[in-house]
Amino acid sequence: MQTFSVSANGKRMPTLFVPHGAGPCFFMDWNPSHAWDATARFLKNIAASLPAKPKAIVLISGHWLEDEFRVTGGAQPGLIYDYNGFPAHTYELRYPAPGHPALAARIVDLLGAAGMAASRDDERGYDHGVFIPLKLMFPDAHIPVVQLSLRNDLDPQALLAAGQALAGLRDEGVLIVGSGMSFHNMRGYGDARFGPISDEFDAWLNSVVESEPTHRNEALLQWAQAPSARLCHPPRGEEHLLPLMVAAGAGGDASGHKLFSDRVMETTLSAFGFGFDKQGVKQ
């Protein structure tokens, strides 16, 4: 496992793309039992790697798609248990993080100023792409959270631009997190033939994320042309990769790095960050 620390003189919050696992996998027995242990440790270590405790979190999950950008605007959003067939106790998990209506309104304004239609949804709760990883990252649930949707058109350019529009929030202590999976072909999980396939795409992602920011963004927009891309994210199934576009856009000119990688269910799953410093890497 790899983790990165933010440089001592860093003033901006970094941005993240993290794997949120399979349903409520971190809070139940799994076979094999250790499958998600490394990912859980990585998520638990994120808070200590940040320059300060975030004042708020903006999280983009692969589980919310709308015709236009939508943001949760309620003061105390509930939870959406949008997974099926898991043990009964996983439908009793709680994450009572407050919302942030003022930040939600500001996000709508920032996206609108950048020419993108956006609106608030004051009734929607947090889906499991939000509350499952955040229960590990910030278990006390005291930090306000606003969830940002993807768009049904799955346009990577729009998502990159949305991240760019929100980048200034990083200077105000807001942590921007993309929550998804770097590999998300449901037929591939558990199939050893997909190990090399996931490795090939992961190597491309790592190379692109660590490249010069202008090239990085241009390459990410062409992600579907990457080696094994459509075997890792089938057509119309890329919603778990696209939160990476928001994180990269919000990363601005900051350097990008792979923060974590592990073999889970025969496939390689990775996390990436922008604005982290390689100094102080923990193995």
Side-chain angles (χ1 to χ4, degrees), residues 106-255:
R106 185 150 174 234
I107 291 170
V108 169
D109 289 343
L110 288 169
L111 293 175
M116 291 171 277
S119 58
R120 280 174 47 171
D121 185 335
D122 292 351
E123 303 301 321
R124 183 181 166 88
Y126 305 133
D127 62 53
H128 82 271
V130 179
F131 72 84
I132 291 297
L134 288 185
K135 278 182 71 67
L136 296 174
M137 294 167 64
F138 302 100
D140 61 11
H142 291 165
I143 301 172
V145 177
V146 173
Q147 183 176 356
L148 172 66
S149 76
L150 299 175
R151 289 196 338 195
N152 280 322
D153 61 7
L154 300 178
D155 179 5
Q157 175 67 66
L159 293 163
L160 188 75
Q164 292 168 335
L166 303 181
L169 297 176
R170 295 170 53 206
D171 293 314
E172 301 169 28
V174 176
L175 179 66
I176 298 174
V177 180
S179 171
M181 299 283 268
S182 60
F183 176 95
H184 198 253
N185 183 338
M186 300 305 290
R187 294 183 178 182
Y189 290 127
D191 186 339
R193 293 174 298 178
F194 278 82
I197 290 170
S198 66
D199 290 343
E200 186 174 42
F201 183 62
D202 188 82
W204 179 87
L205 270 182
N206 185 53
S207 173
V208 167
V209 165
E210 294 196 342
S211 65
E212 184 274 329
T214 299
H215 174 266
R216 175 181 79 208
N217 291 347
E218 292 174 352
L220 285 174
L221 294 180
Q222 302 301 318
W223 74 268
Q225 307 305 314
S228 296
R230 282 305 187 184
L231 292 174
C232 296
H233 298 277
R236 299 300 302 173
E238 60 261 38
E239 73 284 342
H240 275 65
L241 176 68
L242 292 181
L244 172 62
M245 307 300 164
V246 184
D253 293 333
S255 59

Side-chain angles (χ1 to χ4, degrees), residues 80-111:
I80 302 172
Y81 300 96
D82 54 339
Y83 42 75
N84 297 301
F86 290 95
H89 76 270
T90 64
Y91 299 90
E92 299 175 359
L93 295 171
R94 298 289 179 263
Y95 195 73
H100 198 317
L103 177 59
R106 185 150 174 234
I107 291 170
V108 169
D109 289 343
L110 288 169
L111 293 175

